[in-house]
Amino acid sequence: MIVTVTPNPALDVSYRVDRLVHGSAHRVRSVRERAGGKGFNVSRVLHERGVGTLAVGPVGGVLGESLRADLVASGVPHALLEVAAPTRMTVAVVDDEDATLFNEAGAALPDTEWDRLLDLVRSRLAGARAAVCSGSLPRGAPPDLCARVVAVARGAGVPVVVDTSGPALLAAARAGADVVKPNAAELREVVAADDPVAGAEALRAMGARAVVLSLGPDGLVAVTEEGRWRAAPPFPVRGNPTGAGDAAVAALANGLVERSPWPARLRAAVAWSAAAVAVPVAGSVDAALARDLHDGVVVEPV
Amino acid sequence: MIVTVTPNPALDVSYRVDRLVHGSAHRVRSVRERAGGKGFNVSRVLHERGVGTLAVGPVGGVLGESLRADLVASGVPHALLEVAAPTRMTVAVVDDEDATLFNEAGAALPDTEWDRLLDLVRSRLAGARAAVCSGSLPRGAPPDLCARVVAVARGAGVPVVVDTSGPALLAAARAGADVVKPNAAELREVVAADDPVAGAEALRAMGARAVVLSLGPDGLVAVTEEGRWRAAPPFPVRGNPTGAGDAAVAALANGLVERSPWPARLRAAVAWSAAAVAVPVAGSVDAALARDLHDGVVVEPV
């Protein structure tokens, strides 16, 4: 079972409109609501693929109830911490041309609530084979939150994948996360290195055991203690890239559970990630496409 | 006490962003939530001005709870009907240039719920001196809903102001509403008349006892059994015109209670309406400005 931690959940609301015009009033043609947050998406992918998972995160207020109801409806196992701060919302306005996103920052939680969240994670790690800490932190959250998840998991003998950015990414690397998964921009933001492999090595030097760098449609670069590889999909997949990174994280966490060799993990991560692009919503993988992609993924040492 | 009925409440959410750019992701700088709906705004204005009121409307789901909480916080007396259909949301994205609005349509209620709403209105009309039916109807609502409010109120000897549009406006006029308050566009939509006074007379001929036509910053035109008047503010007021019509409706309902002569009602309606423009949120009137405007309002027979 893989425990995922989502420090900054959101109720993701999607509005379909005819055409977004600045300064106008729009009739919303359809409304879709979904429990959002990168860790939740990782759990969705794992659950869909038959891998045991538990989604952990703080929820509060009326939107927190909506988020919980969506997790219940989707069947994803979860252990949510009730907090006083209201869960935030994100609104995506979609017209024929594009999606325009409005992301609330999220309310600050007192430190005692973060302690309670870590206690909850600790209590649910018994029996877990891997853990994930994924997504942004709300303002005011301790920047070492994912690092503390790494420490708690280490105490339970559970390896951890961390997918976050900024100071939280640095702290997780320093805490010795088993895998960190920045994208190229997130890597550049925290280490002064033009070359992605050099940047990944810098994170390894800080303490991360492996760094998997996502390159969007070009696949992944992995810098590990076993070696360095580049993995790319055999053909481009068009669609919605939101959630592709979460599918890669799900595959990497599953690789930790299966203790598969790194090239096999990267093959799965690229296949799941590209096959997630073909599904309009985040947190789901086109299973047939993932199978079609899998054997064709090109994995080369770098 | 003035009972207001809001058939299609919404939780109004307002997002402040730096600059709205189509196809981009925006950090929301601040979030404001408010119980929205034209009848609720009328009750807010009345409550603020010390006139007894009761806000009635259907609420459901988690957003319905937020809406109720906002009414509780604002102190506006209310009697909300719990329904299964979730309360809708509207989102206003405000940048330095403009406001861009996204209006959910609202979920359909079964006819039995509308019957229950009318039962609730009937039960609360004892002791009422006037009633208001204000705002749009959700899809699937009976177009004669405000007309049925008029009939129920007539049974209790209570006069009614109706502020709605389309078939609902026509039905309310035919039901003999004491006052209907369309704006120029709403009037043109339902009667084939280029001249506003002729259009208003057409609604009177259908059964409305008085028609008050709002002309935005130019004030009001009233066609009544006592006579016809035009009323205009003495000077223009800049600000947010949202809610100006609701302030006018509040004044007109208060005029029914006070049985004041029509010119006095129109003077108050123009003063409250223009003074509402000076307040950034709907449902509030700048009291000092309303006093300053009041005596200067120009009321002329037409």
Side-chain angles (χ1 to χ4, degrees):
Chain A
M1 186 266 286
I2 298 172
V3 170
T4 67
V5 181
T6 304
N8 197 14
L11 186 72
D12 289 342
V13 176
S14 178
Y15 282 167
R16 179 75 203 189
V17 301
D18 288 341
R19 197 167 70 89
L20 173 57
V21 180
H22 187 192
S24 293
H26 302 77
R27 192 182 294 262
V28 174
R29 298 294 172 189
S30 70
V31 183
R32 204 164 44 75
E33 284 186 7
R34 202 147 192 275
K38 291 171 79 70
F40 290 157
N41 288 339
V42 173
S43 275
R44 281 181 201 280
V45 168
L46 291 168
H47 181 66
E48 184 183 86
R49 301 193 69 82
V51 180
T53 187
L54 182 76
V56 176
V59 295
V62 297
L63 298 189
E65 289 173 43
S66 290
L67 193 150
R68 182 192 295 276
D70 185 57
L71 284 180
V72 169
S74 66
V76 172
H78 53 275
L80 302 178
L81 181 74
E82 285 285 346
V83 295
T87 293
R88 71 193 173 116
M89 180 167 70
T90 73
V91 177
V93 177
V94 181
D95 64 13
D96 285 338
E97 281 172 32
D98 229 326
T100 305
L101 308 177
F102 304 99
N103 298 318
E104 297 182 14
L109 268 59
D111 286 349
T112 50
E113 308 252 51
W114 294 116
D115 293 342
R116 286 175 59 214
L117 184 72
L118 287 163
D119 288 344
L120 177 60
V121 171
R122 188 181 291 112
S123 73
R124 296 309 184 108
L125 280 175
R129 307 275 303 277
V132 169
C133 188
S134 210
S136 63
L137 305 185
R139 57 188 158 193
D144 64 347
L145 187 77
C146 288
R148 288 163 72 186
V149 170
V150 171
V152 164
R154 167 141 328 131
V158 173
V160 183
V161 184
V162 174
D163 181 9
T164 188
S165 60
L169 167 60
L170 286 176
R174 293 199 178 102
D178 296 85
V179 182
V180 294
K181 194 216 70 59
N183 60 32
E186 288 163 347
L187 182 65
R188 270 196 308 274
E189 192 192 335
V190 293
V191 293
D194 284 341
D195 174 60
V197 172
E201 285 292 6
L203 281 182
R204 285 246 305 143
M206 290 178 200
R209 298 192 58 191
V211 178
V212 178
L213 187 62
S214 55
L215 306 171
D218 296 330
L220 302 170
V221 164
V223 176
T224 79
E225 51 201 354
E226 292 175 29
R228 301 171 178 176
W229 291 271
R230 176 184 293 269
F235 51 86
V237 176
R238 294 189 59 168
N240 176 15
T242 312
D246 302 328
V249 168
L252 294 171
N254 194 45
L256 284 175
V257 171
E258 297 184 339
R259 298 172 186 271
S260 46
W262 268 102
R265 294 184 200 183
L266 297 173
R267 187 177 296 281
V270 168
W272 292 20
S273 177
V277 173
V279 181
V281 296
S284 183
V285 167
D286 182 321
L289 180 58
R291 273 194 305 276
D292 288 349
L293 286 159
H294 186 270
D295 291 347
V297 171
V298 180
V299 184
E300 296 173 319
V302 288
Chain B
M1 186 266 286
I2 297 173
V3 171
T4 67
V5 181
T6 303
N8 197 14
L11 186 71
D12 289 342
V13 176
S14 177
Y15 281 168
R16 179 73 204 192
V17 301
D18 287 341
R19 197 168 69 90
L20 173 57
V21 180
H22 188 190
S24 293
H26 302 76
R27 191 181 296 261
V28 174
R29 298 293 172 189
S30 70
V31 183
R32 204 164 43 77
E33 284 186 8
R34 203 148 192 274
K38 291 169 78 70
F40 291 155
N41 288 340
V42 173
S43 275
R44 279 182 202 279
V45 169
L46 291 169
H47 180 66
E48 183 183 85
R49 300 192 67 83
V51 180
T53 186
L54 182 77
V56 176
V59 295
V62 295
L63 298 190
E65 290 173 43
S66 290
L67 191 150
R68 181 192 296 275
D70 184 56
L71 285 180
V72 169
S74 66
V76 172
H78 52 275
L80 303 177
L81 181 75
E82 284 287 344
V83 297
T87 292
R88 71 194 174 116
M89 181 168 68
T90 72
V91 177
V93 177
V94 180
D95 63 13
D96 285 336
E97 281 172 33
D98 229 327
T100 306
L101 308 176
F102 303 99
N103 298 318
E104 296 183 14
L109 268 58
D111 285 349
T112 50
E113 307 251 52
W114 294 116
D115 293 342
R116 285 176 58 218
L117 184 71
L118 287 163
D119 288 344
L120 177 60
V121 171
R122 189 181 291 111
S123 74
R124 297 306 184 111
L125 280 175
R129 307 275 303 278
V132 169
C133 187
S134 208
S136 64
L137 305 184
R139 57 188 160 194
D144 64 346
L145 186 77
C146 287
R148 288 163 71 186
V149 170
V150 170
V152 163
R154 167 143 325 131
V158 173
V160 183
V161 184
V162 174
D163 179 10
T164 187
S165 60
L169 167 60
L170 286 176
R174 292 199 178 99
D178 296 85
V179 182
V180 295
K181 194 217 68 63
N183 61 31
E186 288 163 347
L187 182 67
R188 271 195 308 273
E189 192 192 333
V190 294
V191 294
D194 284 340
D195 174 60
V197 172
E201 285 292 7
L203 281 181
R204 286 245 305 143
M206 289 178 199
R209 297 192 59 191
V211 179
V212 178
L213 188 63
S214 55
L215 304 173
D218 295 331
L220 302 169
V221 164
V223 176
T224 78
E225 50 201 355
E226 292 175 27
R228 300 170 179 175
W229 292 271
R230 177 185 292 268
F235 51 85
V237 176
R238 294 188 62 167
N240 176 15
T242 312
D246 303 328
V249 168
L252 293 171
N254 194 46
L256 284 175
V257 170
E258 296 184 339
R259 297 173 188 272
S260 45
W262 267 102
R265 294 186 199 182
L266 296 174
R267 185 176 298 280
V270 168
W272 292 21
S273 178
V277 172
V279 182
V281 296
S284 184
V285 167
D286 182 321
L289 180 57
R291 272 193 305 275
D292 288 349
L293 286 159
H294 186 270
D295 291 347
V297 171
V298 181
V299 183
E300 296 173 316
V302 289

